[in-house]
Amino acid sequence: MPVTVAAADQIAVDIGDYLGFKSTGATIVKYDRTNSGVGSNNEYVQFSTTTGHTVGETLQAYAEYTTERNIKFGLKATLGPGATPQFQAGLATTSSVTDDTAVSTTLLTVVATDPGDTITLSLQSTTPTSTAFNFDAASGVLSTVDQLPIGNTAFVFRATDLCGNFVEHTFTLTVTNFPPVIENLPASTEVSEDVNVETQLYVLTVTDASLADTVTCTITSVNPALTALYLRYATGTSNYAINLRANAGLNYDTQRTYTVTVQCTDTKDTTSGTFTVYVLRNQPPTITNLQATQNSIDVASSSVSIGTKVFTVTSTDLENDQLFYNMTCVPASCGPFKIYDSGAILVDKSLTGFTDTAYDLFVYVYDGHTLVGPRSLTIKFSDINTPPVVTNLPTTVSVPENTAPSTGVFTATKSDVNSLDTHTWTATISPASGSLYFTIDGTTGAVKTTSANIDYETIGTTTFLMTAYVSDGSASASGTLTISITNQNEAPQFQVSTYTLTGNEGSAGSTLGTPSFSVIDPDAGATLTYTLSCPELTMNPTTRVVTLSTNYDVDTGSATSLSCTVTVSDGELTDTATLNVNINNINDNTPTFTASSYSFYAQPYSDVGTIIASLPAADGDIGTFGQVTYSIDQSSTGGNYFGISSTGDLFVASSLAGFTSGQTMAVTLTATDGGGLTDTATVTLVVPSVTTTTASTTTDRYLTFFEDTRNVAWFVTVLVITLGLVILNAYFIVRFVDFHNIKRTCERMCRKKRKWKPKRQIITREPTPIPYVKTPRAPATFDTWNAWRIPDKFHP
């Protein structure tokens, strides 16, 4: 019978495989060949009819066997394509390594499974093609065999079973490069400008983690350009070094800094760094025996002759450069002196005929790079002197009062045959108080003012006599200077920067007050005038009284305070201050009703609270003064039948049912503003009659237009103005319009258009009689009344 083999028990087959049967002994049909398999009956098969036999068992009786000929056993195998191989779960698809990965390093182990089948692994493709990798199909190991290429390499692996089923897996390997690293850049060094031999400036430390890489370095730029900088291996090493060629031509004054850009590459990546060369000025020589301040020696002219050494300048130089000396002099010719390269100063001329008592020598030393100096040396001849002479005195100068401190007013001059003498100026002043205001500079002879203020009005004496003296240390000379103080106009000054004035609003010309200005003028008797910058105000230029220049009303928006600039003038000079003017709002407007009297109807059936009329009073004041309150005097009515609200509404305060038709009542309204000003109005209230001729309910109404006398008044005014305008227009038409021209124009137009003119005929007509219409008379009893108000609801 057919047997289904479970998938787990199915086996793989290959070409040359045979179908067989394998099982335990109990399931095998026990059989023996006849004749022990010999002779013509050897194809008889004997099989036991019993069970329980085992392989190799010997039976002695044939009773248990049945002999059959041509017995067949059937076995059937069903072949199928089988399952597709599968790569191991979690098999990597990407990986990353560096280019220094060692040879024979395993990058990936490919594992695939297919139960019951034989799998063959293969590497289908490598993109891009590379010989740096090896794939062992038997072990599934992908490994390195050479230095790895930089970038991404894609591998496609295939697993194939015996039936030809396959599956592919893509694996991408990323190989990264370690770029070279310049470990010790940026860096800098200092080089003296006078270096003239080949010099190693700096040794580079360059590393590359990719051990197989070879790094090369070059100088790509020098800014500014300097071809004397170059790279080469440091002696005895494989490290690059930055070197400076001999006679590089460095000059501190021309270029002090060079920036070197170094670039290193391993053919795959490049890195760079900067190196800065600072050029140092050559260390200048130092003069050791002449101080920076004044140096001097005394020489007796009688004791020196040509060739006498009077002084030797000594110097040092850190670079031991050869030193050279020179000097300049005052007088410019250097007189009888000369300096040599040894630093010795000698007398090289006879002193006969020289009148200068001193020579200022200015010594310089030069090391081929830097000139140092000058250092001064004064050589004085102690036995030669000529007194100085004051050249521009006596004289007189004028000095204005209030001249600023330290202002020069005069400079005394001198002459001296001994031009190198040192001169000192001194002075005395008469009267002695003049020394409070003037002094003389001991070096220049300049006469200047001191820090004391010179005030013509208080100084007392206005003329001083100064005697100036000049000395060369051995002899002196003098001269006199007359100093005259002149009076100057001085500006008036406000003693306070801000003043305040307070007044009331009012009409133009109203006085606000007089500010209490505090002004001083150093000039006695000066006439001062005042002006004010605010256009709303006017200030009397002499009395300082401030008045309003225009009508000023705070209620209409005028400001309650003004800030003005006050200017005081003495006719030439001025000063300014600020005047703050506060303007008070006064109660200058009276509350006013629109009329002095009113008339209204009051229905006897009006509800309490019914508003009869709104009679507000207007008040032009703002603020408290403009707040209006109302009161009512209704004593004539005999009760409190009416009231008035805070807004001027006249209303019914109690029932009017007790009043009869046609009865009249009068009340007085009073409006009072916040300042106590009042206005009154009389209100006449009429209780109307009730019409009985119709059945309809009577209603209140307002007074008609012409029943109100106020309306009649303004209506008549408008009518008169309109009539005047009509008359004026008629006058202009008659006075200025050319009717003749209009007539001529019309006639011309008519003649052009008219072709036939009919003859005139007189037509007479009888007047049409006007029919007589009789107007019906009013009934004997006809009672009318005018209601002023329509009631809110029907009243029976």
Side-chain angles (χ1 to χ4, degrees):
M1 59 179 297
V3 177
T4 301
V5 180
D9 296 330
Q10 295 177 5
I11 59 176
V13 297
D14 200 357
I15 298 175
D17 287 348
Y18 291 93
L19 179 64
F21 183 89
K22 180 180 179 181
S23 182
T24 61
T27 61
I28 299 174
V29 178
K30 188 174 182 180
Y31 64 92
D32 293 317
R33 290 184 177 181
T34 57
N35 297 321
S36 299
V38 179
S40 59
N41 294 326
N42 63 350
E43 290 186 2
Y44 284 97
V45 177
Q46 293 178 332
F47 60 92
S48 174
T49 58
T50 64
T51 59
H53 300 292
T54 60
V55 177
E57 180 181 358
T58 301
L59 298 177
Q60 299 178 355
Y62 289 94
E64 298 179 3
Y65 287 88
T66 299
T67 300
E68 294 290 343
R69 184 180 177 84
N70 296 327
I71 191 171
K72 296 180 179 180
F73 295 91
L75 293 177
K76 179 182 180 182
T78 302
L79 300 180
T84 302
Q86 298 293 323
F87 284 101
Q88 184 181 37
L91 184 62
T93 58
T94 60
S95 183
S96 178
V97 297
T98 58
D99 64 344
D100 61 342
T101 300
V103 174
S104 300
T105 297
T106 298
L107 302 176
L108 179 71
T109 299
V110 181
V111 178
T113 60
D114 191 349
D117 208 339
T118 300
I119 298 175
T120 301
L121 295 176
S122 62
L123 176 60
Q124 293 296 303
S125 64
T126 302
T127 307
T129 302
S130 175
T131 59
F133 305 96
N134 176 68
F135 180 66
D136 186 346
S139 62
V141 172
L142 175 67
S143 60
T144 62
V145 294
D146 202 346
Q147 184 176 353
L148 301 182
I150 301 300
N152 294 329
T153 303
F155 302 89
V156 178
F157 298 98
R158 177 178 290 184
T160 307
D161 62 13
L162 295 177
C163 294
N165 298 321
F166 68 88
V167 65
E168 291 183 342
H169 176 75
T170 300
F171 170 71
T172 301
L173 179 67
T174 300
V175 180
T176 57
N177 176 54
F178 281 111
V181 177
I182 305 176
E183 301 286 350
N184 55 347
L185 286 185
S188 64
T189 191
E190 297 175 340
V191 179
S192 176
E193 63 180 344
D194 62 349
V195 62
N196 53 16
V197 296
E198 184 171 355
T199 305
Q200 180 176 288
L201 302 181
Y202 195 68
V203 178
L204 301 179
T205 301
V206 182
T207 60
D208 193 320
S210 301
L211 301 179
D213 288 350
T214 299
V215 179
T216 58
C217 298
T218 57
I219 292 178
T220 58
S221 67
V222 179
N223 184 26
L226 182 64
T227 57
L229 290 169
Y230 68 99
L231 280 184
R232 75 174 184 182
Y233 289 120
T235 304
T237 70
S238 60
N239 295 326
Y240 284 98
I242 300 174
N243 291 267
L244 179 69
R245 300 184 192 278
N247 301 315
L250 303 180
N251 189 314
Y252 176 85
D253 295 321
T254 302
Q255 183 63 42
R256 303 178 185 181
T257 305
Y258 294 92
T259 301
V260 181
T261 301
V262 177
Q263 192 174 84
C264 297
T265 180
D266 60 359
T267 71
K268 295 180 283 294
D269 288 295
T270 300
T271 188
S272 61
T274 58
F275 180 74
T276 305
V277 179
Y278 295 101
V279 179
L280 301 179
R281 186 188 294 279
N282 175 58
Q283 293 297 316
T286 302
I287 299 175
T288 58
N289 64 339
L290 290 178
Q291 300 178 2
T293 56
Q294 187 72 27
N295 305 281
S296 65
I297 59 174
D298 292 328
V299 176
S301 61
S302 59
S303 64
V304 297
S305 58
I306 296 175
T308 301
K309 181 170 65 176
V310 296
F311 191 80
T312 299
V313 181
T314 59
S315 303
T316 60
D317 186 81
L318 296 178
E319 291 86 14
N320 295 320
D321 294 333
Q322 182 178 352
L323 302 179
F324 306 90
Y325 292 93
N326 58 36
M327 68 182 184
T328 60
C329 304
V330 176
S333 64
C334 288
F337 302 106
K338 182 178 181 180
I339 191 169
Y340 291 85
D341 287 341
S342 63
I345 299 175
L346 280 68
V347 177
D348 69 342
K349 294 179 183 178
S350 172
L351 298 181
T352 303
F354 285 96
T355 60
D356 293 317
T357 60
Y359 290 86
D360 288 329
L361 310 182
F362 300 98
V363 179
Y364 297 84
V365 62
Y366 182 62
D367 65 353
H369 298 280
T370 306
L371 182 66
V372 176
R375 293 291 178 88
S376 63
L377 173 66
T378 301
I379 301 177
K380 299 178 181 179
F381 289 112
S382 58
D383 52 357
I384 298 177
N385 183 53
T386 300
V389 176
V390 178
T391 58
N392 60 344
L393 293 178
T395 190
T396 300
V397 295
S398 296
V399 178
E401 68 169 332
N402 301 319
T403 298
S406 300
T407 299
V409 298
F410 184 78
T411 299
T413 59
K414 49 78 183 163
S415 65
D416 194 335
V417 173
N418 309 124
S419 58
L420 297 182
D421 284 352
T422 299
H423 297 85
T424 302
W425 290 87
T426 58
T428 60
I429 301 179
S430 178
S433 60
S435 61
L436 297 175
Y437 305 105
F438 301 99
T439 186
I440 191 169
D441 187 286
T443 301
T444 64
V447 178
K448 300 179 180 180
T449 59
T450 64
S451 59
N453 181 46
I454 304 174
D455 187 355
Y456 184 88
E457 286 74 24
T458 62
I459 196 172
T461 301
T462 58
T463 302
F464 301 94
L465 181 64
M466 173 182 281
T467 302
Y469 302 90
V470 61
S471 173
D472 63 1
S474 299
S476 64
S478 65
T480 59
L481 174 67
T482 301
I483 304 174
S484 178
I485 306 301
T486 59
N487 189 23
Q488 301 293 311
N489 181 30
E490 297 173 271
Q493 293 181 344
F494 284 101
Q495 297 303 292
V496 180
S497 61
T498 302
Y499 299 87
T500 302
L501 177 65
T502 301
N504 297 329
E505 64 179 347
S507 59
S510 299
T511 299
L512 295 181
T514 303
S516 55
F517 296 137
S518 177
V519 179
I520 62 172
D521 192 322
D523 299 315
T527 300
L528 303 180
T529 58
Y530 298 83
T531 56
L532 197 62
S533 66
C534 293
E536 301 91 345
L537 307 175
T538 301
M539 175 178 282
N540 187 290
T542 56
T543 66
R544 299 171 295 169
V545 174
V546 178
T547 58
L548 294 172
S549 58
T550 60
N551 294 334
Y552 203 96
D553 190 357
V554 174
D555 301 320
T556 60
S558 298
T560 57
S561 63
L562 300 172
S563 181
C564 312
T565 299
V566 181
T567 302
V568 60
S569 173
D570 63 1
E572 181 181 354
L573 302 176
T574 63
D575 191 21
T576 60
T578 299
L579 176 62
N580 294 324
V581 181
N582 299 320
I583 301 178
N584 297 325
N585 179 25
I586 62 175
N587 189 21
D588 56 348
N589 291 283
T590 302
T592 305
F593 288 105
T594 57
S596 60
S597 63
Y598 302 92
S599 296
F600 300 102
Y601 289 106
Q603 297 292 343
Y605 45 76
S606 298
D607 292 337
V608 173
T610 300
I611 296 175
I612 298 174
S614 181
L615 303 173
D619 192 312
D621 288 312
I622 63 174
T624 302
F625 293 144
Q627 296 176 359
V628 180
T629 59
Y630 299 90
S631 62
I632 183 171
D633 181 2
Q634 52 183 328
S635 57
S636 63
T637 64
N640 295 321
Y641 297 102
F642 304 99
I644 187 164
S645 69
S646 61
T647 59
D649 292 334
L650 179 64
F651 60 90
V652 177
S654 62
S655 174
L656 304 178
F659 292 93
T660 61
S661 175
Q663 187 172 352
T664 299
M665 296 168 286
V667 299
T668 301
L669 304 182
T670 301
T672 305
D673 66 11
L677 300 179
T678 63
D679 187 25
T680 60
T682 300
V683 180
T684 300
L685 300 169
V686 179
V687 178
S689 302
V690 180
T691 302
T692 58
T693 57
T694 63
S696 61
T697 301
T698 60
T699 59
D700 294 341
R701 65 175 179 83
Y702 290 104
L703 295 177
T704 62
F705 183 87
F706 289 104
E707 288 175 346
D708 192 329
T709 58
R710 293 171 299 172
N711 294 340
V712 173
W714 71 258
F715 179 80
V716 171
T717 301
V718 172
L719 188 61
V720 171
I721 293 173
T722 303
L723 182 59
L725 291 174
V726 171
I727 295 173
L728 183 62
N729 288 334
Y731 168 77
F732 281 113
I733 292 174
V734 174
R735 176 67 178 80
F736 297 101
V737 175
D738 188 354
F739 291 95
H740 295 287
N741 186 37
I742 296 175
K743 179 180 179 183
R744 288 192 296 271
T745 301
C746 182
E747 288 176 350
R748 286 195 299 270
M749 294 177 64
C750 293
R751 282 197 298 269
K752 291 179 180 180
K753 296 181 179 179
R754 187 173 58 192
K755 295 182 179 180
W756 175 78
K757 182 177 181 181
K759 184 177 180 181
R760 294 183 177 179
Q761 296 181 359
I762 298 175
I763 302 175
T764 59
R765 294 181 180 178
E766 293 295 330
T768 302
I770 300 175
Y772 173 76
V773 180
K774 184 177 181 180
T775 303
R777 295 176 61 87
T781 59
F782 184 74
D783 187 14
T784 63
W785 60 275
N786 294 325
W788 67 275
R789 183 175 181 273
I790 298 173
D792 295 334
K793 62 182 180 177
F794 172 77
H795 293 279

